Amino acid sequence: MTVQPQTIYLKDYLAPAYWIKTVDLIITLREEDALVMATLQLEQNVKVPQTGRLTLQGENQQLLEIEIDGRVLSAAEYVLTDSDLTLPLTAKSATVRIQSTHRPKENKTLSGLYYSNGNYCTQCEAEGFRRITYFLDRPDVLSVFTTTLIAEQAQYPYLLANGNCVDQGENDDGTHWVKWQDPFPKPAYLFAMVAGDLAKLTDTYTTRSGKVVALEFYVEHHNQNQVEHAIQSLKRSMAFDEKVYGLEYDLELYMVVAVEDFNMGAMENKGLNIFNTKYVLADQNTATDTDYQNIESVIGHEYFHNWSGNRVTLRDWFQLSLKEGFTVYREQQFAAACGSPTCNRIDEVNLIRTRQFAEDAGPMAHAVRPESYIEINNFYTMTVYQKGAEVIRMLHTLLGDEAYYAGTSLYFKRHDGQAVTTDDFVQAMSDASGKDLKQFLNWYRQAGTPSVTLSGEYYGKGQRFILTASQSCPPTPQQPNKAPFVIPIKIQLLDNQGTALLPANTVIVLTEGTQQFEFNNITQAPTPSLFGQFSAPVKWDYPYTQSEQHILLRHDTCPVNRWDIGQTMMSNAILAGLAQPETAALPGDMLEILKALIQDQKEDPALLSRLLTLPGFGFLGEKLSCIEPQVLLATILRIEQQIADVLYEPLLQRYEHSLPKGVYQYNQKDMGLRAMANVCLYYLVRAQQGQGLNLAVAQYQAADNMTLRMGSLRAVNDFDAALRNNLLSDFYSRYQDYALVVDKWLSLHATARHVNCFKQVQTLTHHPAFHWTNPNKVYSLLGAFGQNPMAFHQADGSGYAFLAQAVCDLDRKNPQVASRMIDPLTQAKKYAAPYRQHMTDALHQLSKEKLSANVYEKVSKSLEELQHA
């Protein structure tokens, strides 16, 4: 049984008694351990009452010696526990020197300093630096770091750390040393170091002021031919930040290191980004178009952190969205500038609705700026990142371009070199724009997804259209009552031919429980297009007639809204079919519209590929108060079958015109064609006529790129047949030496919608290609399994028990990964019997184990929610 961990509250924040002005680290990497000498220059915080003691955080290390101002302390003078070190300290300033050792090769948590594939690397966000040395491991302590690394030269020719290289040399014993200095004060979570034998790829970028920045990418030697896309993505992101936000890079050198064992996607350590290989390595034979896009976005995201997170950082971990939500929005702007703004936005909206809305409705619901947490790593969530980005997007919409960019400029100028709060950010936006944003802060303070109910009334005599809007937000843990939000609604009114009746980019703002908005000189009863570009992260409803839905699907001036109304129409048909899944069907008139869209050669193939894709299981589940998973899945499959059968001929013709001609190119036109070809093939394989399976085999064999090859495999993946198994076997034999492609192979097995999938997943946990200690493998197999409604939701609960045991096993090695894997079980409240009870049983079984704080928090909150449901 786990001892209940301590809950940390925002209201209890206190500044530290001392600041650590400088840090001098000397880290010696030896065969069995790492020897760390940390020299800290401390200065008393005169604004805080002094206690005569200073407590530093430290874990999983052996303390060797402590000096304060040159005097070695005896063991009786300090207090050492498993989690901290308390020193006697009363002076206004002091020099503290601490020597300790720890064993990176035994560190399987991948937090702090650890060993991966023959290389040493670090991950210190959120609280990993305390695994390297004793320190005030909190984001409001900003220090200038100087780091000297010492290691055997033959085995570790590259020794990297933050900042600029200021000195280096060799020793007589075969070791060498490199000294790094980062001139910009930073919190310990941004510290990084790498030691290894890696391939180095170089380039340069010249800033707008003429400074030449050296760019260096370090990867394992066999991966060095897969880095060019990442390098070019970095250069594009540097140019974007200069052009759009007026921000230049500030060091002489920017380094990226890619490692296979990494809990996160990437980390923005100052000047030395450490990346999961998944977001660096790409070529057409091993990476899909989506992989290319993700690399571009994540490279940009970590670079943009150089200002929104590094130069201006966060005061405490409750402010996490200050850097993450803001930077995700900057990343989204960059992705839109590089690719398809429409399709990127659709994908962002889909992610919010499928995953973040579910988070808002579950036991871990929290505000963008939470009020409390048990384990901070559990709050690297969709709410903090994606909803946080939507909050910034709404600010941009409300203020307009000029005021928004004036606000961000003021924020960076005012707070450069500081650790600040979301209130500071919003205040800068308010000061620059002259607008009162006090009510807007409710988006940071309140959890849950607001709902907006709308209705319209047209008065022909006065040529007036009146829109009535009401908002509400359901209770969430510790927040039963919600104040009104500020909700921007991008609106357009369309006539019967789809002609716009309002100026482009018209925005109305809902600030009260109920409001009316009047539009004059409207010559006919209009069809309102609402929440254009998903202008606010809300659920909304308007009583559209069937003809109004058709106008929007065919003619809406906002392509994101065209997709949205299509998803609504498809969702309505699926939900209506739940009573009798075997007869579920899209209405004939909608099938005719889809047919016309497929046959329209002017239609953007990338957008069309999304218009033809049914809403996902998670999105549909959010619309139900009680989910019968197998019934919902059967209904989805039935409507997929209907589309495939009824639209077979136009799908076949469109497929034949969608395969790009010539060699593979990563550009918007060809990406759209490949996306459309894969969607068509998916339906053609499901049709009860024609040669869909033969087309899939032909595409697989002829493909000169991973996008089309994976499209073939996904098309046949739900069929538990010799054909599928033969293709998967061939795929593994081709790519077994490419770790990231093997991850795709694992995910294909885990996402297959056939009755033997669960058994195959269980078997694959013993396959040589699967490693419990590698997060990518775990996410690819077990993470994908937890999102597979057919395999995961076994009627006897065996799927839940299997995942719970996997979480338990992972928790002993890597609590962060274990905590991510448990999420499907936290949705128990949403499911019907017997699924709900089986999930509850799995959670109860987990609660009897000795759990990390990461897993304990989610288990305990889930059981508490079930108890009060």
Side-chain angles (χ1 to χ4, degrees), residues 95-314:
T95 300
V96 175
R97 181 173 288 113
I98 303 171
Q99 290 189 61
S100 63
T101 63
H102 54 92
R103 297 179 176 271
K105 292 182 179 179
E106 297 176 8
N107 179 7
K108 303 304 180 185
T109 65
L110 310 186
S111 173
L113 174 61
Y114 64 94
Y115 194 72
S116 170
N117 280 6
N119 304 301
Y120 288 96
C121 62
T122 55
Q123 169 55 26
C124 293
E125 187 177 355
E127 297 175 338
F129 191 74
R130 64 191 62 186
R131 292 173 173 267
I132 296 173
T133 189
Y134 292 91
F135 202 76
L136 284 174
D137 193 6
R138 46 189 291 168
D140 56 354
V141 175
L142 308 184
S143 312
V144 173
F145 278 72
T146 301
T147 305
T148 302
L149 304 178
I150 305 170
E152 183 181 334
Q153 187 167 19
Q155 192 169 358
Y156 306 106
Y158 288 113
L159 303 176
L160 313 176
N162 306 87
N164 299 314
C165 178
V166 294
D167 203 359
Q168 58 187 309
E170 299 177 0
N171 301 316
D172 293 337
D173 61 356
T175 63
H176 69 135
W177 57 273
V178 181
K179 186 175 185 178
W180 297 83
Q181 187 171 64
D182 184 353
F184 297 99
K186 65 173 178 288
Y189 82 84
L190 290 173
F191 171 79
M193 60 151 286
V194 171
D197 182 3
L198 299 162
K200 173 182 174 182
L201 296 98
T202 63
D203 206 327
T204 61
Y205 177 80
T206 303
T207 69
R208 62 179 181 174
S209 66
K211 181 173 70 174
V212 178
V213 179
L215 310 180
E216 296 179 355
F217 279 68
Y218 295 84
V219 299
E220 294 183 27
H221 290 279
H222 62 276
N223 292 326
Q224 60 185 305
N225 293 327
Q226 297 179 276
V227 185
E228 184 60 24
H229 176 64
I231 294 174
Q232 297 307 317
S233 296
L234 174 58
K235 295 170 76 171
R236 285 191 291 272
S237 65
M238 297 175 85
F240 175 89
D241 223 19
E242 290 181 351
K243 178 181 179 181
V244 178
Y245 283 88
L247 300 172
E248 277 195 32
Y249 186 60
D250 49 7
L251 292 171
E252 301 167 5
L253 174 65
Y254 192 96
M255 296 177 285
V256 173
V257 179
V259 298
E260 289 190 1
D261 298 312
F262 203 70
N263 285 337
M264 299 182 175
M267 179 60 206
E268 71 268 18
N269 327 97
K270 182 69 179 178
L272 175 59
N273 290 183
I274 300 179
F275 271 66
N276 190 316
T277 52
K278 182 176 182 180
Y279 296 107
V280 171
L281 306 179
D283 63 38
Q284 71 185 68
N285 296 313
T286 59
T288 64
D289 291 339
T290 299
D291 293 329
Y292 273 85
Q293 290 176 298
N294 289 341
I295 289 168
E296 193 165 53
S297 292
V298 176
I299 288 281
H301 180 101
E302 305 309 330
Y303 175 74
F304 301 143
H305 265 313
N306 188 64
W307 280 90
S308 52
N310 295 6
R311 285 285 289 262
V312 182
T313 194
L314 56 158

Side-chain angles (χ1 to χ4, degrees), residues 551-584:
I551 290 171
L552 293 171
L553 184 57
R554 293 301 303 270
H555 304 297
D556 200 321
T557 55
C558 174
V560 175
N561 282 22
R562 287 183 63 203
W563 166 81
D564 188 16
I565 198 67
Q567 293 285 288
T568 298
M569 295 167 71
M570 290 173 171
S571 297
N572 291 341
I574 292 170
L575 298 179
L578 291 177
Q580 290 185 302
E582 64 278 3
T583 60

Side-chain angles (χ1 to χ4, degrees), residues 661-714:
K661 305 298 189 291
V663 297
Y664 174 87
Q665 294 186 68
Y666 176 68
N667 58 45
Q668 292 306 305
K669 177 184 176 182
D670 284 5
M671 287 167 61
L673 290 171
R674 285 189 289 269
M676 189 59 205
N678 282 338
V679 168
C680 290
L681 183 64
Y682 181 87
Y683 282 116
L684 293 172
V685 167
R686 276 147 187 76
Q688 296 178 2
Q689 55 186 304
Q691 300 295 314
L693 287 173
N694 291 338
L695 290 173
V697 173
Q699 178 173 307
Y700 176 86
Q701 293 174 340
D704 69 342
N705 62 84
M706 183 55 68
T707 304
L708 291 178
R709 186 156 280 149
M710 282 294 292
S712 304
L713 293 173
R714 290 192 182 109

